[in-house]
Amino acid sequence: TTKVPTPTMTTTTNLQNPRDAVIVQAIRTPLCRARKGGLAKVPPSTLLSAALRGVLLKDPHTRHDQDATDPASSAYLIPPSDVQDICVGNVLSPPTSAVSFRMAALSADIPHTTSLSTTNRQCSSGLQAIANIAHAIQSGSISIGIGAGVESMSSDPMHELYDKFPPQVDWEVVQNCRHSRDAMGCLIPMGVTSENVSKKYRLDRSALDRFAAESHRKAARAQSLGKFRAEITPVGDVSRDDGIRPDTTAETLSKLKPVFDKAEGSTTAGNSS
């Protein structure tokens, strides 16, 4: 799934500082199930390209072959040539992702004169990308930029991360350094962290299941009322989230087995996603 790319620009309106960063538009691609959903076979670069293009349009649902083939088209809220910098937050893609993301920007009709960088701050990478662009605007380096984030759990499953890309460290040095416990703690999966947080704050499994079921109910209602349409740009023929389960109940979720702490755990595939 692709997190929200956010174009920001300076404003000359009556604000405290003329270089305040202002969010002009926020757009995302549909959120779909990993490995089984409508975007399972779509590479992250294609997701990013769709989002980069959509966030610049007045109507993010405008198809690539409609109205906006010309970068100077009136279909654009912000012309692609006005974007000076793009920062993309990403965690799981391979080292070549910087190249594929650059290609994604070019395929979104953004010119080669627009620079692009990537940032990895784990789960807050997308937010860091937005912060980087905002800071560049506030410092006067640029006037218009896009902060984005993209991940695909179908293309780059987290459970395969260390098998594919084991940390390149001197294990003897790390295990015997002053902060060895914290250093080795960097290898703890987020699922185990979830269990640790649940235990620390005494979160009851049934409460987590009820919260998850209620989240699906609210999301299903919002989708049925068209509340998400304005924030979604389609990827090919996929224009709706397909991970929402309107019929999910707390009772149904309670039957799922914990994934990370099989004996006493509370984190399942149902209440963690």
Side-chain angles (χ1 to χ4, degrees), residues 117-152:
S117 65
T118 62
T119 186
N120 183 345
R121 196 163 191 156
Q122 300 299 305
C123 296
S124 58
S125 297
L127 290 174
Q128 186 60 57
I130 295 171
N132 288 352
I133 292 296
H135 293 162
I137 289 173
Q138 291 166 334
S139 69
S141 297
I142 64 173
S143 294
I144 301 176
I146 299 177
V150 61
E151 300 288 352
S152 172

Side-chain angles (χ1 to χ4, degrees), residues 155-200:
S155 301
D156 305 289
M158 286 190 66
H159 68 277
E160 297 179 358
L161 182 62
Y162 291 147
D163 292 335
K164 289 184 176 180
F165 307 103
Q168 296 180 356
V169 299
D170 186 325
W171 292 107
E172 183 177 353
V173 171
V174 170
Q175 291 173 337
N176 291 284
C177 70
R178 180 179 178 183
H179 300 291
S180 61
R181 181 176 179 181
D182 290 337
M184 296 306 295
C186 293
L187 300 174
I188 297 176
M190 288 304 297
V192 174
T193 298
S194 171
E195 292 292 3
N196 293 339
V197 170
S198 293
K199 290 181 174 65
K200 179 177 179 178

Side-chain angles (χ1 to χ4, degrees), residues 38-99:
L39 299 176
K41 296 182 179 181
V42 178
S45 59
T46 300
L47 299 175
L48 179 61
S49 180
L52 291 176
R53 182 177 176 280
V55 80
L56 297 176
L57 293 168
K58 294 176 182 177
D59 179 3
H61 285 260
T62 302
R63 293 176 57 87
H64 193 274
D65 56 356
Q66 294 176 339
D67 301 329
T69 53
D70 179 1
S73 168
S74 61
Y76 283 108
L77 177 67
I78 300 174
S81 59
D82 285 1
V83 179
Q84 297 166 288
D85 195 12
I86 300 170
C87 186
V88 182
N90 176 261
V91 180
L92 298 177
S93 293
T96 54
S97 62
V99 175

Side-chain angles (χ1 to χ4, degrees), residues 11 51 65 90 94 110 114 141 173 180 209 218-219 245 261:
T11 178
D65 56 356
N90 176 261
I110 297 173
T114 301
S141 297
V173 171
S180 61
D209 289 341
K218 290 179 178 178
R245 300 175 185 270
D261 182 348

Side-chain angles (χ1 to χ4, degrees), residues 158 188-210 212 253-273:
M158 286 190 66
I188 297 176
M190 288 304 297
V192 174
T193 298
S194 171
E195 292 292 3
N196 293 339
V197 170
S198 293
K199 290 181 174 65
K200 179 177 179 178
Y201 292 100
R202 300 178 182 178
L203 302 179
D204 180 69
R205 162 69 188 272
S206 60
L208 297 180
D209 289 341
R210 289 195 302 272
L253 293 175
S254 69
K255 298 176 182 179
L256 298 175
K257 296 181 179 180
V259 178
F260 300 95
D261 182 348
K262 299 186 184 301
E264 301 178 353
S266 59
T267 300
T268 72
N271 64 25
S272 64
S273 61

